Amino acid sequence: MSGNRAVAYQGPGVVKVIDTDYPDFELHDGPGVHPANVGRKIPHGVILRTVATNICGSDQHMVRGRTTAPEGLVLGHEITGEVVEAGPDVEFIKVGDIVSVPFNISCGRCRNCKEGKTGICLNVNPDRPGSAYGYVDMGGWVGGQAEYVLVPYADWNLLKFPDRDQALEKILDLTMLSDIFPTGFHGAVTAGVGVGSTVYIAGAGPVGLAAAVGAQLLGAAVVIVGDLNEDRLAQARSFGCETIDVGKGPVPDQLDQLLGVPEVDAAVDAVGFEARSEGHGAKAKEAPATVLNSLMEATAAGGAIGIPGLYVTGDPGAVDEAAKVGSLSINLGTGWAKSLSFTTGQCPVMKYNRQLMMAILHDRAHIAAAVNAKAISLDEAPQGYAEFDAGAATKYVLNPNGYIKE
């Protein structure tokens, strides 16, 4: 078979659908591919025909030009697909299986993988621990916003759905298992959310909304979501969350109005390094540490903060020289004085994806409705990126091969 189409980063603010090579069982040279990975053989991999692949806020950071991503990089780390070819070393995954792909690539063989730390695998990225499809500084594994994609270590990485027809019926929910649902859930888990918790989530984008659903699954008594975007706050209210507009005053004061106390048991940063200060429009200036500092103030002593929001070590568009290399003015003294705990880094998707799959299949979680999932064609990807960047309260799901029926 020959031919493939994919969404590629073309420079700040520009993505384009391009013609590209059909994948085979080898890593080839290309934009973002680490030289040490060129020529790497993948007999343990499979080739997927993409069923669904989502636009993520992390992709948007690259598209805005806020990372060192090279032009021509094929995007996409949220992948669900049908196996169409299997390498000679694949034993358990079969052609025809419908599978979810964790966004973090892991080998299943290194010390970290064996300890369940699949977000920081030691063997898939020569630059640093941890890897992902179609992402800057992640080893150069080709992204999945495409008609076809290669997935390595298939027996280890892939989550097979038990029933094809059921999977396709619930595909808008199940596609969220590749990243945002486990990532949001991880934020809630690492924040210590449990039965009766009060929870504040900064950011009403898809990951923040997924964290809210996760907090509800974990038994939170009250889930409060904060943002500057009223449409996204309305989306949070649609499934039972309280909301606050962070442009209308300090977070602790607004929490006090809702809860009678100016703090919560647990907090989640679902914003990351492009955070903005309180205020709207031109008044909402970028302040990359503002969310972290507000969460330390708003979290009760002895509490915890989960930080699934992305922070980077290279940001050419940062507000100052320190932030360009990931150094932020964090008020660690407040965190220390209150004995707060922090968890950062990639979510280890495999720790959660099967349990969350079962919650979806048995109608315990309706994540697609919560994040307002909308299927669009591959050719509509540039428009989807533009609308998402403008603040649309929508999770865009690309449907490159027509599996998703309207």
Side-chain angles (χ1 to χ4, degrees), residues 76-138:
H77 56 271
E78 300 190 10
I79 308 164
T80 306
E82 178 178 8
V83 179
V84 293
E85 293 186 51
D89 290 353
V90 177
E91 185 175 0
F92 304 110
I93 294 292
K94 305 298 182 185
V95 170
D97 288 345
I98 304 289
V99 295
S100 178
V101 184
F103 79 89
N104 21 47
I105 304 167
S106 57
C107 71
R109 296 151 166 81
C110 71
R111 171 182 176 175
N112 284 352
C113 285
K114 290 181 178 180
E115 292 177 355
K117 302 171 184 175
T118 54
I120 44 174
C121 173
L122 300 174
N123 287 332
V124 288
N125 183 359
D127 270 334
R128 63 182 73 174
S131 189
Y133 304 88
Y135 211 83
V136 59
D137 296 332
M138 288 294 183

Side-chain angles (χ1 to χ4, degrees), residues 27-271:
L27 266 183
H28 300 281
D29 197 10
V33 179
H34 193 283
N37 265 350
V38 175
R40 187 170 181 166
K41 306 297 183 183
I42 317 294
H44 42 69
V46 299
I47 295 170
L48 300 182
R49 180 186 294 118
T50 305
V51 172
T53 178
N54 316 326
I55 296 175
C56 180
S58 297
D59 298 320
Q60 204 67 274
H61 293 305
M62 290 188 291
V63 172
R64 291 186 189 120
R66 297 300 299 270
T67 72
T68 55
E71 293 183 12
L73 182 73
V74 173
L75 301 168
H77 56 271
E78 300 190 10
I79 308 164
T80 306
E82 178 178 8
V83 179
V84 293
E85 293 186 51
D89 290 353
V90 177
E91 185 175 0
F92 304 110
I93 294 292
K94 305 298 182 185
V95 170
D97 288 345
I98 304 289
V99 295
S100 178
V101 184
F103 79 89
N104 21 47
I105 304 167
S106 57
C107 71
R109 296 151 166 81
C110 71
R111 171 182 176 175
N112 284 352
C113 285
K114 290 181 178 180
E115 292 177 355
K117 302 171 184 175
T118 54
I120 44 174
C121 173
L122 300 174
N123 287 332
V124 288
N125 183 359
D127 270 334
R128 63 182 73 174
S131 189
Y133 304 88
Y135 211 83
V136 59
D137 296 332
M138 288 294 183
W141 300 88
V142 178
Q145 287 177 14
E147 293 172 334
Y148 298 91
V149 64
L150 170 68
V151 173
Y153 304 103
D155 282 327
W156 165 255
N157 277 307
L158 295 179
L159 174 68
K160 176 185 173 182
F161 298 136
D163 182 88
R164 178 189 179 90
D165 291 340
Q166 184 187 35
L168 293 176
E169 180 182 340
K170 293 181 175 287
I171 195 62
L172 283 179
D173 290 292
L174 294 172
T175 190
M176 307 304 166
L177 292 173
S178 57
D179 181 358
I180 67 161
F181 198 9
T183 292
F185 190 76
H186 178 64
V189 169
T190 55
V193 176
V195 174
S197 295
T198 57
V199 185
Y200 174 61
I201 297 166
V207 169
L209 298 175
V213 173
Q216 291 172 338
L217 275 174
L218 290 165
V222 183
V223 179
I224 303 164
V225 180
D227 204 291
L228 293 164
N229 183 318
E230 174 53 35
D231 289 341
R232 291 183 171 185
L233 291 175
Q235 189 61 35
R237 290 192 293 272
S238 74
F239 59 96
C241 299
E242 300 286 348
T243 61
I244 60 175
D245 182 333
V246 297
K248 295 183 177 178
V251 169
D253 292 350
Q254 296 196 62
L255 293 177
D256 196 14
Q257 293 173 16
L258 287 169
L259 300 172
V261 291
E263 59 189 15
V264 290
D265 302 320
V268 178
D269 174 2
V271 177

